[in-house]
Amino acid sequence: MEKIVIIGNGIAGVTAARHIRKNSDNEILIISAETEHFFSRTALMYVFMGHMRFQDIKPYEDWFWEKNRIDLKFDYVERVDTDTKSLQLKSGQSVNYDKLIIATGSKPNKFGWPGENLNGVQGLYSYQDLEMLEENSKTAKSAVIVGGGLIGIEMAEMMISRGIEVTLLVRESVFWGNVLPQKDGELINRHIKEHHAKLRLHTELKEIVDDGNGNVAAVITQNGEKIDCQIVGLTVGVTPNVNFLKESNIQIDRGVVVNEYFESNIQDVYAIGDCAQFTKSVNGRRNIEQVWYTGRIMGETLAQTICGNKMAYNPGPWFNSAKFFDIEYQTYGWVFAKLQEGEKDFYWEHPKGKIALHIVWDSSTSVFKGINVFGIRMRHQLFDQWLKGQAKVEEVMANLKTANFDPEFYSHYEKDIIQKFVEETHKNVDLKPKTWWRKLITNA
């Protein structure tokens, strides 16, 4: 029996622990300095807005860990000695391991702005960030959020739910403009303004102003505008949380450098989740993936290797989902901010501006490349199958009714979408009636 030590109790580390337990009697220890028990990081915003209590976002009861013989230690790892296979903890204790899994996640980016360490400046990633935001929002009247990404929009919704005036500083011409195509981003721009958030496009932060007591008083933009505020949310991306490894022999670049089996340069040391940096891209994905579901897949996959069934990371076609206030967003495959060479696209938007579809395909082969949908829920399994099977865009569009996952009583717009698609592309597509979705997979 080996001793498996996991640093970090996020989705990647906990999933690895659960699956190692399912497949072995190995001793398992999880060390975390964030919380004693695992929680759903993506649900932190709902705790702040009062929709849920913190205990509601813990997927497992507190007795789960002892019952499944997964030991937990609330402590901070200060140093890793790979020669002696030991960890030095902040409490002064030392822990030995046979195999080490590093799953320490990310931390918010900072870029050396003047005033970035004032009271009231923060990111939104950890449980400690949630506690800080609770404290900072008690007397705040206005907040400035720097960065046009998913954490930024979550933070805006949280602030607005407490009656705090929000201004978003976004470098691009549309929100999340480094990811969303222009028309998609313009839809989100309008929606943000409908929720009474002020959106400053083409605007970057210059400095954060001190009130004389070490607290935030205002921000000044690169355009010279001064905006009074008591909270500054820094949401300009995250970076792997690996600083504690700098004195070790483990190779780090932006994250812990690993191969497709999550193996680092040191035998019996692995990294998964946000802090892992692959030496080469897997399925065309970025070499650092900071997404909830990929952490889960990495944990499941590494557990197989740890338990003797060596398995490479193979997450399949890209997908993701998020929410911009009231608008749900899903993406399958690749829809880049700017159309790539050899690609064609089609965009449809409902007149009320809250529902849209944007599909991309190869111009010479008609092979479906990716789709963004806003306000429509689509079936992941079907798009995964179409992407793996290199389905033609005509097949995807013809089966939109079956792909639609919205409840029966929702309004459906497939006829309108297909009519415009045929008019613009001159492709011969007949909308097929809704069928049992598994039948399409079976027939593929």
Side-chain angles (χ1 to χ4, degrees):
M1 183 172 71
E2 294 184 308
K3 181 175 182 177
I4 314 298
V5 175
I6 302 168
I7 310 176
N9 71 345
I11 182 65
V14 163
T15 302
R18 288 177 46 242
H19 285 262
I20 291 170
R21 173 54 64 241
K22 284 182 180 178
N23 294 289
S24 78
D25 285 324
N26 286 323
E27 182 181 349
I28 304 171
L29 170 63
I30 300 177
I31 304 173
S32 172
E34 184 178 12
T35 54
E36 292 187 13
H37 298 104
F38 170 58
F39 66 93
S40 173
R41 196 174 302 283
T42 55
L44 279 178
M45 67 179 293
Y46 301 109
V47 175
F48 183 87
M49 295 193 297
H51 300 173
M52 305 174 82
R53 301 166 301 172
F54 181 70
Q55 56 263 40
D56 298 327
I57 67 170
K58 291 194 294 186
Y60 306 106
E61 299 288 348
D62 291 352
W63 49 258
F64 170 88
W65 310 99
E66 183 176 355
K67 181 182 178 182
N68 288 281
R69 293 176 290 123
I70 298 174
D71 297 326
L72 307 177
K73 185 176 283 294
F74 186 62
D75 210 330
Y76 180 77
V77 176
E78 291 189 320
R79 193 165 62 87
V80 178
D81 187 333
T82 55
D83 292 332
T84 61
K85 287 192 165 184
S86 65
L87 310 177
Q88 189 63 45
L89 308 185
K90 188 175 183 179
S91 63
Q93 289 183 302
S94 180
V95 172
N96 295 321
Y97 65 84
D98 295 308
K99 287 186 168 63
L100 176 65
I101 301 174
I102 301 167
T104 47
S106 297
K107 59 181 181 180
N109 280 332
K110 290 184 176 180
F111 292 98
W113 291 293
E116 67 179 17
N117 294 317
L118 290 171
N119 297 324
V121 182
Q122 68 164 105
L124 181 64
Y125 184 85
S126 66
Y127 178 71
Q128 285 74 19
D129 290 335
L130 177 68
E131 290 186 312
M132 189 185 300
L133 194 57
E134 284 284 358
E135 190 63 30
N136 289 336
S137 63
K138 285 179 179 175
T139 57
K141 302 294 184 187
S142 58
V144 170
I145 297 171
V146 183
L150 297 180
I151 296 177
I153 198 73
E154 284 186 2
M155 210 166 178
E157 186 172 355
M158 294 162 73
M159 296 290 98
I160 290 171
S161 76
R162 297 278 180 99
I164 297 170
E165 187 178 273
V166 169
T167 302
L168 288 144
L169 307 187
V170 176
R171 184 175 57 182
E172 293 82 12
S173 62
V174 294
F175 194 83
W176 215 19
N178 62 333
V179 174
L180 295 178
Q182 185 72 19
K183 290 180 180 177
D184 305 36
E186 288 172 356
L187 181 150
I188 299 303
N189 282 357
R190 294 192 296 271
H191 193 59
I192 288 172
K193 293 174 182 175
E194 286 172 5
H195 281 267
H196 309 293
K198 297 175 182 175
L199 189 56
R200 297 283 197 276
L201 301 172
H202 302 293
T203 303
E204 296 184 60
L205 176 66
K206 181 181 181 183
E207 66 176 279
I208 304 168
V209 180
D210 192 332
D211 70 350
N213 295 304
N215 305 307
V216 171
V219 301
I220 296 176
T221 70
Q222 292 286 0
N223 303 330
E225 182 183 9
K226 182 179 180 183
I227 305 171
D228 293 336
C229 61
Q230 297 76 48
I231 298 175
V232 175
L234 296 181
T235 63
V236 282
V238 293
T239 193
N241 184 22
V242 295
N243 281 352
F244 72 104
L245 297 172
K246 284 186 175 177
E247 303 301 320
S248 75
N249 295 323
I250 300 168
Q251 182 185 0
I252 58 172
D253 181 25
R254 292 172 58 207
V256 179
V257 179
V258 296
N259 62 16
E260 67 270 33
Y261 298 100
F262 313 103
E263 296 167 327
S264 75
N265 63 313
I266 304 294
Q267 188 174 2
D268 295 331
V269 176
Y270 308 84
I272 53 176
D274 292 15
C275 69
Q277 178 181 343
F278 293 99
T279 52
K280 58 182 180 181
S281 168
V282 177
N283 293 345
R285 292 163 173 252
R286 294 179 178 176
N287 61 356
I288 298 179
E289 292 191 305
Q290 292 156 324
V291 185
W292 178 264
Y293 79 86
T294 57
R296 175 180 54 75
I297 296 172
M298 290 183 199
E300 292 173 355
T301 307
L302 177 58
Q304 293 296 317
T305 296
I306 295 285
C307 296
N309 178 28
K310 192 166 185 176
M311 186 177 292
Y313 179 54
N314 183 18
W318 170 255
F319 72 94
N320 199 5
S321 63
K323 195 166 74 67
F324 300 92
F325 290 102
D326 310 325
I327 296 180
E328 292 185 23
Y329 156 77
Q330 290 176 306
T331 185
Y332 299 101
W334 298 115
V335 180
F336 295 105
K338 293 190 182 300
L339 212 57
Q340 306 293 292
E341 186 176 351
E343 289 182 345
K344 281 195 172 181
D345 68 334
F346 166 76
Y347 179 82
W348 173 88
E349 183 178 314
H350 188 270
K352 291 185 177 179
K354 297 185 189 315
I355 301 171
L357 176 150
H358 194 161
I359 190 165
V360 175
W361 65 93
D362 186 286
S363 60
S364 59
T365 65
S366 290
V367 169
F368 167 57
K369 303 290 289 290
I371 188 169
N372 285 346
V373 285
F374 300 86
I376 305 172
R377 295 177 189 170
M378 293 292 189
R379 293 188 185 279
H380 175 201
Q381 296 93 333
L382 268 179
F383 283 98
D384 191 66
Q385 180 72 28
W386 282 329
L387 287 163
K388 287 178 178 173
Q390 297 196 311
K392 301 291 180 67
V393 67
E394 293 90 341
E395 179 185 351
V396 175
M397 296 300 283
N399 287 288
L400 277 184
K401 280 191 173 183
T402 301
N404 191 322
F405 190 44
D406 280 336
E408 293 289 338
F409 55 85
Y410 274 40
S411 298
H412 292 253
Y413 304 99
E414 287 82 12
K415 286 185 180 178
D416 295 340
I417 295 170
I418 293 300
Q419 182 179 349
K420 188 181 180 197
F421 180 77
V422 171
E423 287 174 359
E424 290 192 4
T425 66
H426 305 295
K427 288 183 177 291
N428 185 21
V429 175
D430 291 321
L431 186 62
K432 294 183 179 178
K434 188 180 183 70
T435 186
W436 175 230
W437 64 273
R438 289 189 185 278
K439 187 177 177 182
L440 290 183
I441 291 179
T442 304
N443 292 339

